[in-house]
Amino acid sequence: MRFRLSFACMALACAVVLGGCGKKEKEDEGAAAPANAPAATPVDSASAGSVSGTVKFEGAAPKPARLKTEADPYCAKMHTSAPLTSEEAVVGAGGALANVVVYVKTGLENRTFETSKNAVELNQEGCEYKPHVIAVQTNQPVTIINSDDTTHNIHPTPANNPDWNKSQGPKAEKITQSFAREEIAIPVKCNIHGWMKSYIAVFKHPYFKVTGKDGTFDLQNLPAGDYTLGAWHEKYGKSEQKVTVGAKEAKKVDFVFKAS
Amino acid sequence: MNAAYKPALHLYAVFTAIATFLLLVAGALVTSNEAGLAVPDWPLSYGSLFPPMVGGIFYEHGHRLVATFVGLLTVGLAVALLFVEPRRWVRRLGLVALAAVVAQGILGYLTVKFLLPPAVSVAHASLAQIFFCITVALAIFTGRWWQSEVPQVQDTGSPRLQTLALAAVAATFLQLVSGAAFRHNAFGIVPHLIGAAVVLLLIILAGRAMRIRFPDARLLRRSGAMLHALVGTQLLLGAAAWYSRVASRGMQQTPDSTIWLTVIHTVFGALVLAGTVVLALVAHRVVRHERDEKERGGELEFVGAPIGKGPGHLASSARLPLGSGKAQS
Ligand code: HEM
Ligand code: HEM
């Protein structure tokens, strides 16, 4: 009979060891506060240029999937006339691709920028995130609003920033959060409503835009210089292009994504 | 084998094992629905015992309720064993089960508190199935079969069937860990595929050993066949789960088919693990090995007269000297 007991003991030992490992797992240290950040390098608006353009999707536009919201009767009620559809690929007229984050990837390393104090809103309305993708600067406030008559939880799963998970009751008070480190892009999820996903891109500088249904972006007030522009889409991945912007020059750059 | 069979206790143990299996289903549904963090607090849920059961809250809170029920069943089982069970090692196993369920509850709390770190989720998934196997073992130990005289067979082959069965238990356990590590985004799929080959190989070897060595030991061969069927099905389910995971990658809403395939593969994995444990227990109960008897030095525990052909024989109950009927001093 001995081996049965030893099996049980072995099992328990495994559990303890595994459990022990678990406890050691990352308990994220708070993100570095920008206490002694160097003073911002001013941009001379008079000589600054700009980059603008359009992001397009090449090929047949994917049909947005219908999202099932019956798991929460409130959410289902909000979409009785038109069902909620997925936003993982939103293609507008002429192949314009929405929800693409276009940003300056390299070329600004020697500069520092002031953090914008304007809060960016992330609204939970009709059991979806509005907007689906947002972009902010490091430490810029993100205001999270629950306009619904149901509880949501907001759970970002960042790679470089600390994890958190907060719940927000029906029409409860706003939650303000910020992210201290650059990251493109942090997935955000509601674990109550599994279909609710959104992304937050975080940059050290203010040169970024999220495309709308027309697929356009423009980055204004960009100091003359050589840059790499990046474009990120949750489903179609990343793309980049080199661009040189002269003083007061308005450059045009377009991005094209294909189904991967 | 002097403990008397207690039908009520056995029935209760069987019920606990079945309830635990349902708890595994409820737990796997939490993971597949990514609902682990739908309820941010513990032990209360949104500061209450009954939060609105919508969406992910239904899965997470439902899992907690079922877990509480199974926890209470386990307390009951451990206490009942302490009072009515004469075999000390069975009473102890009851306490081990209790410790496991408490540890599991703590791990559950840690997953919520630390936002599902993969190591904790994997530990929670693994201990869940260890706990399930303990409840299955308790159901067997309190059963009539375990406590009655059963015909013994002689194993002259190498490696012993017990060794093969224990290796299958260990390999399946590692397979569970690698599966959980993939499911909780800690590893890629490769270790799990290698593990599947190892599990399959061990189960084929055990099946072959049983067929060749004990052609007449029906119970053994039946457990072997059952395990075979379970593993075969599990391989197909694994492939389907994998395909559906890959196909639904990046979708905003995980399709129901992916949720169910991954849940079924996960809980079928628990059945495979329990199947290997059952085989090991049955082998332990009915298979005697020459070396065992030599160690004990002669007069045998096992009962039997050789009636089959081949190296292993199914025997009827009669006290006989060791080793296929040959007398030893
Ligand atoms: C007491 C017995 C318990 C058992 C046998 C059990 C079993 C399980 C199982 C089998 C899973 C699925 C693992 C997987 O699919 O990989 C799971 C997931 C989970 N359980 Fe439990 N559980 C128990 C108690 C608890 C308690 C008390 C809590 C809550 C505080 C809890 C919270 C969770 C969570 C949050 C998950 C999802 C983990 C993830 O998605 O990573 N469990 N449980
Ligand atoms: C003996 C064979 C096998 C056993 C016992 C087994 C067992 C398991 C278990 C227990 C889990 C879930 C662990 C947990 O979180 O609780 C799992 C996950 C998984 N297994 Fe297997 N497995 C086997 C073979 C395979 C095969 C052949 C494949 C094929 C590719 C496969 C693919 C997967 C996948 C994709 C998952 C994760 C499911 C998800 O993404 O949620 N398995 N396996």
Side-chain angles (χ1 to χ4, degrees):
Chain A
M1 302 296 157
R2 192 141 298 152
F3 99 95
R4 250 166 266 118
L5 260 190
S6 50
F7 172 68
C9 294
M10 208 174 68
L12 210 66
C14 285
V16 169
V17 170
L18 283 167
C21 299
K23 264 175 268 177
K24 270 182 267 142
E25 258 296 286
K26 63 169 175 196
E27 203 182 322
D28 238 306
E29 76 303 347
N36 46 5
T41 356
V43 174
D44 173 20
S45 309
S47 69
S50 67
V51 180
S52 62
T54 313
V55 184
K56 295 221 155 148
F57 180 77
E58 200 177 85
K63 230 175 91 197
R66 179 185 175 280
L67 300 176
K68 290 192 222 163
T69 54
E70 294 78 25
D72 185 338
Y74 169 83
C75 304
K77 207 178 68 203
M78 299 297 285
H79 299 282
T80 35
S81 47
L84 201 57
T85 52
S86 80
E87 292 181 285
E88 70 208 39
V90 177
V91 180
L97 188 59
N99 296 324
V100 177
V101 183
V102 181
Y103 59 98
V104 173
K105 188 172 177 193
T106 63
L108 292 167
E109 290 76 9
N110 299 327
R111 291 176 172 270
T112 52
F113 299 90
E114 240 170 75
T115 294
S116 167
K117 302 221 165 32
N118 298 333
V120 175
E121 280 187 1
L122 181 61
N123 190 4
Q124 300 153 105
E125 191 182 5
C127 303
E128 64 178 326
Y129 287 108
K130 291 181 180 169
H132 181 60
V133 176
I134 61 174
V136 291
Q137 264 181 281
T138 47
N139 298 308
Q140 183 176 359
V142 176
T143 303
I144 299 160
I145 300 164
N146 183 1
S147 310
D148 283 331
D149 263 323
T150 189
T151 301
H152 290 295
N153 79 297
I154 305 103
H155 177 215
T157 48
N160 301 332
N161 285 283
D163 287 12
W164 49 268
N165 177 37
K166 293 201 152 103
S167 64
Q168 197 171 28
K171 301 211 163 90
E173 235 176 85
K174 295 174 184 174
I175 295 175
T176 301
Q177 286 285 327
S178 63
F179 300 88
R181 303 194 191 110
E182 193 161 76
E183 187 165 349
I184 311 157
I186 303 170
V188 179
K189 209 179 137 60
C190 175
N191 301 99
I192 299 175
H193 308 101
W195 62 87
M196 286 177 69
K197 284 191 182 133
S198 86
Y199 293 86
I200 302 178
V202 186
F203 297 96
K204 282 192 206 134
H205 56 70
Y207 298 101
F208 51 80
K209 275 275 158 30
V210 182
T211 60
K213 272 215 148 173
D214 60 0
T216 61
F217 66 91
D218 75 312
L219 305 173
Q220 294 288 338
N221 203 29
L222 195 60
D226 292 327
Y227 298 102
T228 311
L229 287 193
W232 171 93
H233 184 267
E234 63 179 283
K235 186 170 174 139
Y236 301 122
K238 290 180 174 180
S239 166
E240 52 183 68
Q241 290 189 45
K242 298 247 183 258
V243 57
T244 301
V245 180
K248 291 189 177 174
E249 190 182 10
K251 267 269 159 74
K252 289 271 175 215
V253 171
D254 293 331
F255 284 92
V256 177
F257 282 92
K258 289 186 191 121
S260 45
Chain B
M1 304 305 145
N2 46 9
Y5 166 58
K6 299 182 182 58
L9 181 66
H10 175 54
L11 205 68
Y12 183 83
V14 170
F15 181 72
T16 306
I18 293 173
T20 304
F21 182 74
L22 296 179
L23 174 56
L24 299 187
V25 176
L29 276 167
V30 175
T31 302
S32 287
N33 281 291
E34 294 177 66
L37 295 177
V39 182
D41 51 344
W42 189 87
L44 291 177
S45 297
Y46 290 100
S48 118
L49 282 177
F50 293 101
M53 294 292 269
V54 297
I57 302 175
F58 170 79
Y59 295 107
E60 172 62 11
H61 190 67
H63 174 56
R64 293 182 188 186
L65 290 180
V66 181
T68 308
F69 177 64
V70 167
L72 294 175
L73 282 178
T74 311
V75 173
L77 186 58
V79 170
L81 287 171
L82 283 184
F83 279 102
V84 304
E85 175 56 55
R87 293 165 295 176
R88 193 169 65 158
W89 60 270
V90 179
R91 293 199 301 272
R92 281 200 188 154
L93 190 56
L95 293 177
V96 170
L98 185 57
V101 87
V102 170
Q104 182 68 351
I106 294 171
L107 283 174
Y109 161 71
L110 292 175
T111 60
V112 172
K113 166 106 205 244
F114 296 114
L115 312 175
L116 310 182
V120 179
S121 290
V122 171
H124 188 73
S126 307
L127 183 56
Q129 297 200 13
I130 292 173
F131 173 69
F132 173 59
C133 289
I134 297 175
T135 61
V136 169
L138 280 171
I140 291 176
F141 296 151
T142 53
R144 191 205 301 272
W145 178 79
W146 189 271
Q147 300 177 77
S148 50
E149 298 265 303
V150 286
Q152 304 285 293
V153 293
Q154 175 81 353
D155 190 358
T156 51
S158 174
R160 299 183 192 202
L161 182 60
Q162 270 107 323
T163 311
L164 281 174
L166 283 178
V169 172
T172 310
F173 179 70
L174 290 179
Q175 182 65 352
L176 149 69
V177 174
S178 71
F182 176 77
R183 188 159 155 82
H184 298 282
N185 304 317
F187 292 177
I189 192 76
V190 175
H192 196 59
L193 294 179
I194 297 171
V198 174
V199 169
L200 184 64
L201 181 74
L202 282 167
I203 284 173
I204 289 175
L205 285 179
R208 230 174 67 101
M210 283 185 273
R211 206 169 49 246
I212 295 173
R213 298 181 205 167
F214 321 111
D216 303 319
R218 211 174 303 145
L219 186 65
L220 262 184
R221 295 199 50 193
R222 222 183 281 156
S223 348
M226 181 194 68
L227 198 52
H228 228 92
L230 282 175
V231 171
T233 312
Q234 179 67 346
L235 292 175
L236 296 177
L237 285 170
W242 167 247
Y243 173 78
S244 73
R245 266 284 174 231
V246 172
S248 64
R249 201 167 274 165
M251 282 188 191
Q252 196 173 326
Q253 186 167 39
T254 311
D256 291 349
S257 54
T258 305
I259 290 173
W260 282 107
L261 280 170
T262 53
V263 166
I264 294 171
H265 180 67
T266 298
V267 299
F268 229 81
L271 292 182
V272 173
L273 185 63
T276 61
V277 170
V278 169
L279 179 66
L281 292 178
V282 171
H284 179 76
R285 184 74 184 84
V286 306
V287 177
R288 287 288 160 268
H289 198 272
E290 273 174 330
R291 243 175 307 153
D292 289 346
E293 313 305 341
K294 283 198 189 118
E295 273 161 22
R296 266 178 228 157
E299 254 323 290
L300 48 167
E301 248 240 12
F302 92 93
V303 278
I307 51 164
K309 45 189 181 325
H313 310 289
L314 191 62
S316 61
S317 335
R319 292 222 143 214
L320 263 197
L322 267 193
S324 300
K326 257 184 260 153
Q328 282 188 0
S329 53

